[in-house]
Amino acid sequence: MNRIKQTVFLCLISCIAASITNAQPKTIPQKVDALLKRMTLAEKIGQLNQLNGDWEATGPITKDLGNKLDAIKHGEIGSVLNIVGVKHTRAFQEAAMQSRLKIPLLFGQDVIHGYSITFPIPLGEAASWDMPAIERSARIAATEAAAGGIQWTFAPMVDIARDPRWGRVMEGAGEDPYLGSLIATARVHGFQGKGLGNLDAIMACAKHFAAYGAAIGGRDYNSVDMSLRTLWEVYLPPFKAAADAGASTFMNSFNDLNGTPASANRYLMRDILKGKWGFKGFVVSDWGSIGEMINHGYVKDGYEAAEASINAGSDMDMESRSYINHLAKLVADKKVTIATIDEAVRRILTKKFELGLFDDPYRFSDADREKRVMNTPEHLEAARDIARKSIVLLKNEHNVLPLSKDLNSIALIGPLVKAKKEMKGFWSLDVGDESQIVSLYEGMQQAAGKTNLLYARGCDITDTSRAGFDEAYKTAMQADVVIMAMGERPDMTGEAKSRSNIHLPGVQEDLIKAISATGKPLVVLLMSGRPMVFNWTADHVPAILYTWWLGNQAGNAMTDILYGNYNPGAKLPITFPRTEGQIPIYYNHLNTGRPAHADNDVNYTSAYIDLPNSPKYAFGHGLSYTTFSYSNLKFSKKSMLKTGSITVSFDLQNTGKYAGEEVAQFYLRQMVSQPVRPIKELKGFQKVMLQPGETKTITFTIDKEKLAFYNDQLERITQPGEFQLMVGSASDDIRLQGDFQLL
Ligand code: NOJ
């Protein structure tokens, strides 16, 4: 070869090499595009299809796809739910690796409050008002779930809930958009850790988009009818916070919103989520919700359901099979474009790439890691810590609590004293070892030292037999102090668990009355996933702790509080009504033209003639074994421009005998505006630890964002005028207030 020929030849080789390298997709978008080009329409539709793995169903299962493993091998399934554990997920992934393009499956699961170790129910954790602790709980759940083969949790549920009849209040953060937004952020950060691609990160899923918490009458799956202003003002903020925190996925919901089912709601998914908010992840439907639009009367069959849903922006179909059965024909009929299908597939494949599943589809399938990561001492300690932080001290007259360590005997009475697996609450998984759950009784046995523990069950949870009352009375008579563990069954809250009557069930309150008649110092622990009604107890029992469902470490956490080894600092994230007739009841309501000025003010005011307006326990309420004083409120200035800010400060002092934490709450009210504003809205809080006698100066900055709201055109605006700042220990316990002007 002469020199010229040699040079030409070398050039040719390097050009070919360069073009090959250039053609190799490098970035995730390039890889997704390259893969999309190789996919048939059927394979694309398969990616949009999510099926239940038949392990545990939360809805009706359609069994018409034959053998699921075969369907996976044919590329007809992109994701499965309800398959947990390395062994099972690996078996399914192996089937996916036999498909033509070897696209890995995504394993989704309701990891709502823990995986192997169960943490308190989300509403309970919300009562901690402790963002680092809430984030840590989600972090641990994600670490364990990822080690168990899962890459995707259907959490956090960020639905605002103002109706305790709705069984799903237990899954969320309560009634307040500000607190709910902070908790949504903490949970998304917790689940996703340092980001997808890390072995301990799983995708979060903000659900149920949107307004599911406002189901009429508190009845699950029911319709929602609300103004768009309320939607934007109250129900959307936690979703926006989840999107801003980087939630990888969203789930739409069962309800219709003003007549359009959420699963086909273009306004929610295309205009708001993917449009205005720039969400880059994907949207999954709720279980069967696309098919259920036939029952809604929104579409006449599965074909129309699939069309409405995919065009509205619902990317993945959970268990309704509308996509797998109808999308191909819809494309052939030109009702759905290939571009629409590609967009949905692209969003899903992007997440699979980000999770690293194309590099190694078995990276979440390491049996050694699965054993190593679960139930570590650090995880258990964190579970105990957040459980203590979730317990709300509703009442503590005559300092019945904390208990003295020198008592001769304590009587433990009630149907939940020895309950173990019940402590996990609804939406917990059967992955962990139930023998590790600590009941109240076991916790007390550990902590009681020389104190003699007596026990009587007394009655059942819902059964109305009083046969055990006598024995319980006699047992109480022998003790120095009585502790009663009462409540609902864990399956009385959760999905499809709405109650019209939210009283403490069965004859439990009668048993409390009977035991109270002994005259012994009495502490009642109430376990439930929702606010219950228990007026007699609230009015007559000196000490009441609301413990929700606290998870594995329940018994230890409760005894930590009972003995004062931990000083309670939790605050209610949701209003407790006096009775069902007050529902919906929430603190941040409007004033009306005829507000009742006091609970007995029924004289042509907005009131009931048979019931005060005020709740039994208000949003933000929760006591401590110590007391706090609020003083010295100062404003850096008394007026601000909307480009400016005001700094407010006050002194918080621990005036009691115990070290303790207070959640100091800041509320604002705009006195005159159009449209009108609520009588108070939480705009900030600080959780502060103080030693006895210690004082700290707390500051709070008021800026434009804190004063803004949505007008009738759904624009976020501020209006000049007078504002009131209220600082307090609860929404009904305001200790300091002052006003300022927005110029
Ligand atoms: C139905 C529930 O509404 C949803 O929250 C859950 O994630 C799915 N079932 C899957 O279990």
Side-chain angles (χ1 to χ4, degrees), residues 58 81-82 110 154 168 171 207-208 212 251 254 286-287 318 427 495:
T58 65
L81 72 155
N82 290 333
D110 291 288
F154 305 127
R168 301 197 78 166
E171 279 177 69
K207 70 187 188 186
H208 305 84
Y212 184 39
M251 183 187 290
F254 290 120
D286 203 344
W287 182 295
M318 182 192 283
W427 284 123
E495 186 181 344

Side-chain angles (χ1 to χ4, degrees), residues 59-81:
I61 303 171
T62 331
K63 294 213 184 256
D64 63 356
L65 207 70
N67 181 331
K68 284 184 189 156
L69 289 179
D70 279 347
I72 292 169
K73 287 177 197 163
H74 288 113
E76 293 168 13
I77 298 179
S79 171
V80 287
L81 72 155

Side-chain angles (χ1 to χ4, degrees), residues 566-569 624-628 652-663 687-694 696:
Y566 193 91
N567 189 353
S624 162
Y625 295 150
T626 192
T627 47
F628 299 96
L652 182 68
Q653 186 181 18
N654 181 342
T655 47
K657 289 197 303 241
Y658 300 90
E661 283 177 302
E662 169 72 324
V663 179
K687 190 166 184 178
V688 190
M689 169 57 107
L690 290 172
Q691 297 304 315
E694 192 185 359
K696 275 189 187 154

Side-chain angles (χ1 to χ4, degrees), residues 234-251:
V234 180
Y235 288 82
L236 289 184
F239 285 102
K240 173 71 163 57
D244 289 348
S248 292
T249 68
F250 266 52
M251 183 187 290

Side-chain angles (χ1 to χ4, degrees), residues 415-450:
L416 287 161
V417 169
K418 291 197 172 177
K420 270 171 92 75
K421 69 173 188 314
E422 288 81 352
M423 296 298 108
K424 291 169 71 173
F426 201 85
W427 284 123
S428 49
L429 297 168
D430 286 332
V431 203
D433 169 6
E434 272 177 15
S435 69
Q436 286 190 351
I437 302 167
V438 185
S439 67
L440 172 65
Y441 193 76
E442 289 162 332
M444 287 297 289
Q445 280 178 319
Q446 288 287 319
K450 293 201 192 98

